[in-house]
Amino acid sequence: MIGIGVLLTRAATHLWPLTVEDGVNRFFAGHRTETLSDVSHLASGVADTPRIVGVTAVAALVLALTLRRVREPLFLCLAVTAQALVFYFTTVAIDRPRPDVPRMDESPPTSSFPSGHTSAAVALYLGLAVLLATLARRTWLKALCWALVLVPAGVALARMYRGMHHPSDVVAAFVNGCTCVYVMFRAFLDRRVPWRRPSAAAGGSPRRAAFRPGAAAR
């Protein structure tokens, strides 16, 4: 993510499509209406930190009580946590100004790159979509679960509409969120990864029976 940030803010600033992305922000700013502004406020608010933390905690608790296991809650919580850590350290390293248009929200003390709202929404709602789709048994229900990916898409559009992020900021946020979901999926939801100690009766060595979630994947 830091490498992408360096590329966007230094090496590729004069290359297409970065040369036209400011026009996207100006387009949104020039077509604001009271109704669209209200909708964008709601869409952006979905990914505010308190709401992301609250929805993640409630979803993890429901999953733990319903499924009576920890794989799914850990997957969701750590996907959201991982994107937040990547986001934080990226903003520390990359100082990108926000779009040069009237902004509709107060700017938090982080740079424009990447979009924290978008990456958090991707990690949470894409993570929920993946999780629920793997649990659902009916095709129509699986398709309905994937509709959750519309939430981060709406958040991304709202953040650009409100003048808070460049298009490349939200694209990078999708990279961050999707990567964290993929990594945590492989670590926690991949059924090839053993979560139980092999019993001594089965020939397993007590000293080598420690939990290693990535062992099977390797």
Side-chain angles (χ1 to χ4, degrees), residues 13 27 67 75 86-87 91 100 104 123 127 141 159 164 167 189-190 215-216:
T13 54
F27 173 83
L67 301 176
F75 157 74
V86 173
F87 161 77
T91 57
D100 187 19
M104 302 180 70
L141 189 55
R159 298 305 287 168
M164 302 307 296
L189 300 186
D190 190 338

Side-chain angles (χ1 to χ4, degrees), residues 115-191:
S115 169
H117 281 70
T118 305
S119 63
V122 171
L124 175 55
Y125 291 100
L126 175 60
L128 279 173
V130 169
L131 185 55
L132 296 177
T134 59
L135 295 173
R137 298 184 180 277
R138 298 182 181 274
T139 302
W140 68 268
L141 189 55
K142 290 179 181 288
L144 185 62
C145 294
W146 285 110
L148 286 170
V149 300
L150 296 176
V151 176
V155 171
L157 288 173
R159 298 305 287 168
M160 290 188 293
Y161 175 91
R162 300 181 70 80
M164 302 307 296
H165 290 287
H166 306 274
S168 53
D169 296 334
V170 299
V171 171
F174 271 90
V175 173
N176 179 20
C178 290
T179 302
C180 290
V181 169
Y182 174 76
V183 169
M184 295 307 167
F185 177 87
R186 290 296 305 272
F188 292 99
L189 300 186
D190 190 338
R191 296 301 176 182

Side-chain angles (χ1 to χ4, degrees), residues 11-54:
T13 54
H14 300 295
L15 299 178
W16 187 91
L18 297 182
T19 53
V20 299
E21 69 171 353
D22 287 342
V24 175
N25 291 109
R26 288 193 293 269
F27 173 83
F28 280 124
H31 290 79
R32 290 171 180 167
T33 66
E34 184 176 353
T35 300
L36 289 177
S37 296
D38 290 341
V39 171
S40 72
H41 177 72
L42 293 174
S44 180
V46 167
D48 286 345
T49 299
R51 291 185 174 89
I52 291 291
V53 172

